Amino acid sequence: MPKGKGAKGTKITLKIAKKAIRMTPDGRRRLILSNMGITIFPKCLLKLSNVDELDLSRNLIQRLPDNIGNFSSLRWLDLHSNKLESVPESIGNLVGLTHLNLSNNCLTSSSLPSTLGFLASLRSLNLGMNRLDSLPPTMVALHSLEELGLFDNLFIQLPEFVKALRNLTKVNMKQNPLSYAQGDGEKSEPEEDVYLVHESSLCRTCLKRCKEQTERLTRGRIGRDGGGGDMFEDKRIRTYPGLMVPNSVATANQDVWRVRKVEHKSIK
């Protein structure tokens, strides 16, 4: 059992950490230290050079060590539901990282380093449930990114560089104060539910419904512009290359973004 759980939180020793390592079905070594009342990142973990996946979610960690980038073996890092207020520059050294979950923390846009753009292998990034209103422009270099979670933040528009990420298939922007740009250049009332997915991620029926909705909105706008008095509001319909907005067709379960459960077995 973890030692020293008191005012300073649970103390994790190297011995405890080694016992918590599990082997995943695909042969990776995963260290699970979730929901243990940890308040300070255990620096002894940096001595574990053979750990591929690290789960420190649901703790009370406020700060990551400046040398977190030395954890070069990491491919999967879950830090959701902590109290993180910043991310160190050295995280950009984790070039092998494919999954990074920083959701449900206390991050602001100024606390995200530009080095996030160095994570060239990253396929899934979850920044939901923070206090973000923009992202580092350097993230345009994340060409391998497939899933991006930005839900429950302060974005008023989708970051421009997202349009350049050609492998991106899912963008969760739900619960943000997004606004449409109208024909006169003014902003309409905020729209909170926006969940973007690539067309290839939808079944044939859902894709057909999405396209029909888009066509109806387009016809509605044309009808209004032509004096037809259509019932649809005069909005400029936003489009993103290869992405659809299936708000009334497909729904996103936030738990999927916050926690990726992986079956595992103990290492003998």
Side-chain angles (χ1 to χ4, degrees):
M1 293 295 290
K3 298 180 181 179
K5 188 172 183 179
K8 294 184 178 180
T10 302
K11 181 180 179 181
I12 300 297
T13 64
L14 187 59
K15 182 178 180 180
I16 291 173
K18 288 182 177 180
K19 287 185 176 181
I21 296 176
R22 300 289 183 268
M23 186 71 76
T24 65
D26 57 358
R28 293 189 176 188
R29 292 174 179 265
R30 187 178 192 194
L31 173 55
I32 304 174
L33 297 173
S34 178
N35 196 25
M36 296 183 68
I38 302 171
T39 58
I40 300 176
F41 186 96
K43 293 185 177 180
C44 64
L45 301 185
L46 298 174
K47 298 179 180 180
L48 300 173
S49 59
N50 62 344
V51 171
D52 304 297
E53 304 181 355
L54 175 60
D55 183 357
L56 279 168
S57 63
R58 298 188 177 93
N59 282 296
L60 303 169
I61 301 172
Q62 294 183 330
R63 186 174 181 273
L64 297 177
D66 292 335
N67 60 344
I68 185 69
N70 293 345
F71 216 146
S72 58
S73 63
L74 281 186
R75 299 294 179 268
W76 192 96
L77 178 58
D78 191 349
L79 291 163
H80 84 75
S81 302
N82 276 279
K83 295 183 179 295
L84 293 176
E85 298 179 353
S86 63
V87 179
E89 294 276 346
S90 67
I91 197 167
N93 294 334
L94 302 179
V95 293
L97 207 62
T98 60
H99 294 78
L100 176 60
N101 192 342
L102 295 171
S103 66
N104 197 19
N105 278 285
C106 305
L107 299 173
T108 61
S109 295
S110 61
S111 66
L112 295 181
S114 60
T115 53
L116 281 176
F118 297 167
L119 303 178
S121 300
L122 204 61
R123 299 204 307 268
S124 176
L125 174 61
N126 190 352
L127 295 171
M129 303 178 73
N130 280 289
R131 303 169 185 170
L132 308 173
D133 57 15
S134 64
L135 296 176
T138 53
M139 289 176 61
V140 71
L142 300 181
H143 300 302
S144 298
L145 197 63
E146 299 173 1
E147 301 180 0
L148 177 60
L150 299 176
F151 54 88
D152 282 289
N153 275 291
L154 302 172
F155 291 95
I156 60 174
Q157 63 182 6
L158 188 70
E160 283 295 320
F161 70 81
V162 169
K163 300 176 183 179
L165 301 179
R166 298 302 178 182
N167 287 316
L168 199 62
T169 59
K170 296 180 182 179
V171 183
N172 191 342
M173 290 287 291
K174 298 185 71 173
Q175 300 301 316
N176 276 282
L178 298 172
S179 297
Y180 276 113
Q182 301 190 82
D184 55 7
E186 295 183 356
K187 297 291 184 179
S188 67
E189 291 297 318
E191 182 191 29
E192 293 190 347
D193 283 346
V194 173
Y195 177 69
L196 306 175
V197 297
H198 196 273
E199 293 182 7
S200 61
S201 298
L202 297 176
C203 67
R204 183 176 301 178
T205 301
C206 290
L207 179 58
K208 180 180 178 181
R209 290 178 182 175
C210 288
K211 289 184 175 180
E212 288 175 350
Q213 288 177 345
T214 300
E215 290 174 0
R216 285 199 299 270
L217 287 173
T218 302
R219 289 198 302 269
R221 184 185 176 202
I222 294 174
R224 187 179 179 91
D225 289 343
D230 195 277
M231 64 180 289
F232 292 98
E233 183 181 357
D234 184 14
K235 292 180 178 179
R236 177 174 300 169
I237 301 172
R238 292 172 297 176
T239 59
Y240 308 98
L243 298 178
M244 301 291 290
V245 189
N247 294 339
S248 62
V249 179
T251 58
N253 183 346
Q254 290 189 2
D255 288 338
V256 175
W257 291 87
R258 295 182 59 196
V259 185
R260 291 179 177 275
K261 295 181 180 179
V262 179
E263 297 180 357
H264 53 266
K265 57 184 179 179
S266 300
I267 299 176
K268 296 182 180 180

